[in-house]
Each structure stands twice: as C-alpha cells, then as structure tokens.
Amino acid sequence: MPDPIANCSPEAVIDAIEGNLIDASVALGRTEDGVVFRGSDVTWVYTGYPALSRVMRARFATEEAEDRVAEIAECFRQWNAPVAWVIGPSSFPPELGDHLRESGFATSEIWLGMAIDLIDLPKPSIPGSLRIELVTEKEQLQAWTTLSTEMWTGNATEGALSIFSPENAGGDPRCRYYIGYVNGKAVVRGMACVRGETAGLYWINAKPEFAEEGYDVALAIRALSDARDSGARMGVMPVRSHSTLAQRLGFKPYCQFNIYAWPASPPKVPVC
C-alpha cells in the first residue's frame, strides 16, 4: 500500500486523484452545446464537440448496471460524439467492463493515478532560455490550445478553441493554464486544476523537437509550486502507463484507470 500524503490515508489520496480528474473534466463541458451530468451514481461530460467527452465514477447497482450503461451510451450515439468511459477505483460493479463491451465500447488504454506530497516537490530549475508564463490573455490561451493537437481528428481546431476559450474551460476558476516560450516561440504547455488542498496536472505537452529538453518538467514544477503557495498540499496526475514525466517529478502510483472508448477504434484517448 502506498504511503499517506499530507496526513491523508492512501484511500483518501486515491479519492483525491479521482475527484480532481472529474473536476478537470467537468470544466470541458462549459460550451454552449455542452452538457454536464453529476448524479449520485455517475458523472458524465459532453463537450458539444467530437472530442474529450467522458463518463466517470460510475457506481451502479448490479441489477441496474446494464441498463444504465446502455442509456448513457445511447446519449452519445444520438450526439454522434466519441466518448471515453473511465473505470476508476470507485467504479462498480466489477462487471462494468463487460456491460461496456456489450454496448459497443472497447478497451482503449490504462492510466495510472499518481500523487506526490508537495513538500517533496523538486526545486525549480528552468533550463536554457525557457520562460514560463501563467496564461492571462485570450491570445495566449489560443497558443496554448493549438500547441498540441493530439486529441483532435480532422478539421477540429475550431472545436478545441471553443472548448478552451475564456468563456468555457479557459475561464474555469479551478484551472490555471501555463505556457513556456523559447526565443518568443511557444514550446510547452500544461494546466493545473486546483481545488482545496489538491492540485492536478493535465495537458502537459512539449513540441516534439523539444521533448528531451526537460521543459515539461520545469513547467510542471512551476504549476505545482504556484499551487503549493496558494495552499495546496498534494499533487495528483493521471498518466499513461508508459509516461515518465510523473516519475521524474517524484510522483508515486496509487491507483489505475481502465479506459473504454466508443466507437471501438477511435484515436488514442487524450489524458485530460
């Protein structure tokens, strides 16, 4: 069993990881056509665009699970919106994955839920000429959004700019967006979702030609340091199983998320 963090039991850390992921995801549903449902037994988000919709923390009664999965899946079919169903540590019943496959979902990938006590955060070290800024202007947010396009297929940039606009996720008070520049050129970006004593890291991406420069680590430390200065005590992060960023920052694994995607053969599901 992993160690406690900031006087929180391992079970409380796992709950914080899952809860922060939900908070970060809910921000994506603030668009004009977006829908956010936060019920007692499930949370789901439709972004209004053909990307980034997801279902989380489903806790269905065993006898109702099959019907509830089919009901939610039908909503996204009506919207013709690809969706990722995140089975996390609190999801129930154990047969949930079977019901998803029966509704046309397919196993996509595994995310690891990682965490760190912010007291143990490495000291900031800014490599080379990197300049990291907190995004405060619309033009910066547009540069942040278009720096990485891994979550978009086809001509979907307009949707990305809408989802992350200042009126939508870009203006969510829980979300702090950061962008790093080298010689005036945007090269790395990331976001921290800060609520209470927990700060989650998401969307950490460096341009491929700068992937080995350590810019992603520097930006992550800046975001977590700012969160710690404002009262956060724990950092959390969902990452793909092959990612090394969390380990380089000193994060440790606490739980696992199994991702199911509909349609069954979509592009790789982005880690929000």
Side-chain angles (χ1 to χ4, degrees), residues 54-76:
R54 56 191 54 179
V55 184
M56 299 155 290
R57 196 175 262 177
R59 296 172 287 192
F60 302 141
T62 301
E63 65 275 12
E64 298 177 354
E66 184 176 1
D67 290 342
R68 293 287 280 127
V69 168
E71 171 191 334
I72 294 169
E74 182 59 25
C75 290
F76 288 95

Side-chain angles (χ1 to χ4, degrees), residues 30-214:
R30 290 164 49 113
T31 63
E32 182 177 357
D33 295 322
V35 180
V36 174
F37 177 84
R38 300 196 76 161
S40 60
D41 62 352
V42 69
T43 295
W44 55 260
V45 178
Y46 168 53
T47 65
Y49 293 90
L52 305 187
S53 296
R54 56 191 54 179
V55 184
M56 299 155 290
R57 196 175 262 177
R59 296 172 287 192
F60 302 141
T62 301
E63 65 275 12
E64 298 177 354
E66 184 176 1
D67 290 342
R68 293 287 280 127
V69 168
E71 171 191 334
I72 294 169
E74 182 59 25
C75 290
F76 288 95
R77 289 192 180 96
Q78 291 292 325
W79 284 313
N80 194 28
V83 59
W85 194 302
V86 181
I87 295 184
S90 69
S91 296
F92 189 85
E95 303 81 18
L96 188 55
D98 295 335
H99 297 316
L100 288 169
R101 283 187 285 269
E102 290 167 2
S103 287
F105 285 75
T107 304
S108 173
E109 59 183 342
I110 294 174
W111 298 347
L112 298 178
M114 313 283 282
I116 188 176
D117 190 323
L118 292 182
I119 292 177
D120 300 325
L121 189 67
K123 293 182 179 180
S125 177
I126 307 300
S129 56
L130 179 67
R131 185 182 82 257
I132 300 171
E133 294 184 359
L134 179 65
V135 171
T136 58
E137 304 293 336
K138 182 176 181 179
E139 292 74 15
Q140 289 178 302
L141 194 56
Q142 291 174 340
W144 184 98
T145 303
T146 56
L147 188 139
S148 175
T149 57
E150 70 164 349
M151 76 286 289
W152 306 107
T153 58
N155 186 24
T157 302
E158 181 179 348
L161 291 171
S162 177
I163 289 174
F164 290 104
S165 69
E167 296 78 21
N168 299 318
D172 191 293
R174 297 165 293 192
C175 300
R176 303 174 182 177
Y177 295 82
Y178 293 84
I179 192 164
Y181 300 89
V182 172
N183 298 325
K185 179 181 179 181
V187 299
V188 65
R189 64 99 185 267
M191 185 267 277
C193 178
V194 183
R195 185 176 183 184
E197 296 186 340
T198 304
L201 284 180
Y202 305 92
W203 309 114
I204 306 289
N205 296 100
K207 287 196 168 184
E209 61 268 34
F210 298 98
E212 304 301 322
E213 302 295 331

